[in-house]
């Protein structure tokens, strides 16, 4: 919540600490939502009829942003600090 609504504070306050466990959980949640909605979009789009789709490789815009922010914070895809 704080990262989403207090981003300027995060960027300028050197004493602000990000809970990496919560950030990793948020990244995973955004990834799952992107895969969910992306799979619906692919299934409903006739352009993808008859094609094999790797749903787990779907990366939404919000996920790419969260993944980037997590990498800046030193959080790996698995949720552990680097």
């Amino acid at each position: 919540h704080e990262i989403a609504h207090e981003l300027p504070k995060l960027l300028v306050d050197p004493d602000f600490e990000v809970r990496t466990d919560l950030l990793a959980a948020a990244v995973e949640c955004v990834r799952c939502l992107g895969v969910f909605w992306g799979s619906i979009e692919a299934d409903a789009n006739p352009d993808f009829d008859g094609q094999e789709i790797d749903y787990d490789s779907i990366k939404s815009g919000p996920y790419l942003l969260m993944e980037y922010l997590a990498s800046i914070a030193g959080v790996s895809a698995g949720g552990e600090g680097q």
Side-chain angles (χ1 to χ4, degrees), residues 5-82:
H5 297 286
E6 301 289 336
L7 191 55
K9 177 181 174 182
L10 168 68
L11 296 173
V12 297
D13 184 358
D15 296 325
F16 184 78
E17 291 187 34
V18 175
R19 286 196 47 198
T20 57
D21 60 327
L22 295 178
L23 180 58
V27 170
E28 180 60 15
C29 183
V30 170
R31 186 195 72 78
C32 289
L33 287 169
V35 168
F36 173 77
W37 288 113
S39 65
I40 289 175
E41 179 66 29
D43 290 344
N45 188 332
D47 293 339
F48 294 105
D49 286 352
Q51 295 186 26
E52 186 174 321
I53 301 168
D54 179 13
Y55 294 113
D56 287 328
S57 68
I58 293 173
K59 292 187 175 184
S60 67
Y63 171 71
L64 292 172
L65 176 61
M66 290 291 291
E67 184 180 45
Y68 177 69
L69 292 174
S71 72
I72 290 172
V75 176
S76 68
E80 299 175 12
Q82 294 178 345

